[in-house]
Amino acid sequence: AVKVQRIGHLYALVVVQNRGKTATQLQQALYTLRDHLVEKHETCPFSNNSWCYYQKGLALSAEDESNPPPVLRQAYLNPDDLSRLQDVFQSFASIEMCSALTLGLTQNSNESLHSVLWHNAPKTKRVSQKSLKICASLAVSTFNEGSTILAAVLADLGVQSPRTTLVHFVKRDKERNRCRIQAITESHKRRRHHLKAQLVAAEASRRKREKNTTYKSGAF
């Protein structure tokens, strides 16, 4: 589990440090991660803020001779482990995946997996364990792949989605992408900060009014 978390962390660093580049460039950068995990750093980026500890150490040592050169660590994965993960790397470094990651953002900064799950299965309604598992699977699928993945799920179940349903799925994904891009604009950031400041001021005012209230009829 720790190794998986570490690989996921490095994957995120590669995506963030290649933000704004083309999908092909991001794909090539992700392929260097595969070599990095077996302590092959020839293709890792050379800079003082590189995600690769070895190339970062070389860059810092070149800038200041007082910095000791980096020492190779024990390989994080052995070649056999890497070969078993080959299909996973191919999937997560595909052009389709990289095209969706070029901005280095999530699909919606205000969206979380939990919100998607509870939208499918509200906490206010009782559902069976089987229903909850189905909702969780659908939440993970739509959160990672978008609404269009539901058409593939229905196809696997032998249900052919009508054209209007497919159009609806595409529109939902476009709207999510629009919200994702819109949320990082300066105007929307200022708007969020303004609303937050209003809420904080309102809460402070309410506490000030109730500060000296020790008893209120019907309050308990």
Side-chain angles (χ1 to χ4, degrees), residues 104-191:
L105 303 171
T106 58
Q107 56 265 46
N108 187 337
S109 58
N110 295 320
E111 183 182 56
S112 68
L113 177 60
H114 286 90
S115 68
V116 178
L117 173 59
W118 299 129
H119 176 76
N120 294 338
K123 297 180 181 179
T124 55
K125 295 183 178 180
R126 184 183 182 281
V127 296
S128 65
Q129 184 179 17
K130 183 177 180 180
S131 298
L132 184 60
K133 287 182 178 179
I134 293 174
C135 290
S137 299
L138 291 176
V140 171
S141 299
T142 54
F143 184 81
N144 291 331
E145 303 292 340
S147 298
T148 51
I149 193 64
L150 298 177
V153 174
L154 291 174
D156 290 340
L157 296 174
V159 180
Q160 189 65 30
S161 301
R163 183 177 180 277
T164 53
T165 302
L166 296 176
V167 171
H168 175 68
F169 287 159
V170 171
K171 285 184 177 179
R172 284 181 59 180
D173 289 342
K174 286 183 177 180
E175 178 63 17
R176 292 175 70 199
N177 190 55
R178 185 190 67 81
C179 292
R180 176 191 65 173
I181 296 174
Q182 192 178 53
I184 64 172
T185 60
E186 289 300 323
S187 60
H188 276 72
K189 287 181 180 179
R190 288 194 297 269
R191 174 65 174 167

Side-chain angles (χ1 to χ4, degrees), residues 195-205:
L195 292 175
K196 184 176 181 179
Q198 285 184 327
L199 291 174
V200 171
E203 179 64 16
S205 177

Side-chain angles (χ1 to χ4, degrees), residues 21-62:
K21 296 184 179 180
T22 65
T24 302
Q25 290 173 323
L26 177 57
Q27 184 184 50
Q28 293 173 349
L30 289 173
Y31 281 148
T32 64
L33 174 59
R34 181 177 53 188
D35 295 332
H36 172 87
L37 294 173
V38 291
E39 290 300 320
K40 294 180 180 179
H41 305 287
E42 292 80 3
T43 58
C44 293
F46 176 82
S47 69
N48 57 9
N49 65 342
S50 174
W51 55 265
C52 172
Y53 79 92
Y54 188 77
Q55 292 291 358
K56 180 179 180 179
L58 290 177
L60 293 174
S61 180

